[in-house]
Amino acid sequence: MKYYIGSDHAGFAVKGLVALMLIERGHEVVDLGTDSAERVDYPDYAEKVARAVVSDSGSHGVLICGTGIGMSVAANKIDGIRAAHCHDYYTAQMARAHNDANILCFGERVSGPGVIESMIDAFTTTSFEGGRHAGRVEKIMALEKNH
Ligand code: RB5
C-alpha cells in the first residue's frame, strides 16, 4: 500500500518515525512535508496529502499536527476524503473497519510513540467491513454532492 504522509511543524518530529514504521511494515511512503520544524500552516499539508490520496486510487494517508484536529478538519474538506482523528488502537481500527477511513490523523502533542505505533498497526492491517457500514459510508459521501 502507498501512504502519503504530511505534518505541520507540530507533527514534524514524529513524521520521520511514522515513515519508518510504515516502511518496516512493507509499505511505500511519499512524504509531502513539511521538511523542518519551522512554523507552517497545517491546512496546506492536509490539502497536499488529501489531494494525493484522492488522485491515487487505493492509496491512504497519515496526517500529523499538534492535536490531530486541524489536519482532520481540513482534510475532510476535500471530496473523497474520510480523515479520522484517532487516539488509540481501537479508534484507528474502527476508523478502517466501520468508516473506511482513508487518512489517519493524530496529534504529536497528544499521543506518544507507543500509541502512535499501535494506531499505525491498526490502521494498516484493518479492512473495511462493508455490510451494514457500506450504506452509512455511502451516505457520508452523498453529503459531498449537496455543496
Ligand atoms: C500548531 O500550533 C497547532 O495549532 C496545530 O499543529 C494543530 O494542533 C491544529 O489543529
Side-chain angles (χ1 to χ4, degrees), residues 8-11 40 42 64-71 109:
D8 68 356
H9 54 286
V40 292
Y42 59 83
I64 313 148
C65 60
T67 60
I69 298 168
M71 284 297 196
R109 295 172 179 166

Side-chain angles (χ1 to χ4, degrees), residues 47-71:
E47 181 180 11
K48 280 178 204 260
V49 169
R51 291 202 187 283
V53 167
V54 165
S55 62
D56 187 355
S57 178
S59 69
H60 282 170
V62 180
L63 281 167
I64 313 148
C65 60
T67 60
I69 298 168
M71 284 297 196

Side-chain angles (χ1 to χ4, degrees), residues 22 27 32 34 40 44 65 67 70-71 78 86 101 103 114-115 123 131-132 137 139:
L22 289 167
H27 301 291
L32 297 178
T34 186
V40 292
D44 297 336
C65 60
T67 60
M71 284 297 196
I78 304 297
C86 298
I103 297 184
V115 172
F123 198 80
R132 70 184 188 279
V137 171
K139 286 188 177 186

Side-chain angles (χ1 to χ4, degrees), residues 3-22 42 46 49 61-73 75-76 82-89 91-93 95 101-124:
Y3 284 87
Y4 293 94
I5 68 172
S7 76
D8 68 356
H9 54 286
F12 173 69
V14 95
K15 178 160 58 66
L17 194 61
V18 166
L20 281 178
M21 289 173 187
L22 289 167
Y42 59 83
V49 169
V62 180
L63 281 167
I64 313 148
C65 60
T67 60
I69 298 168
M71 284 297 196
S72 57
V73 170
N76 278 315
R82 292 177 299 282
H85 181 202
C86 298
H87 296 91
D88 49 28
Y89 186 94
T91 49
Q93 181 186 42
N102 49 15
I103 297 184
L104 167 67
C105 301
F106 54 82
E108 179 185 301
R109 295 172 179 166
V110 180
S111 305
V115 172
I116 290 171
E117 186 151 28
S118 77
M119 289 192 281
I120 294 290
D121 269 334
F123 198 80
T124 58

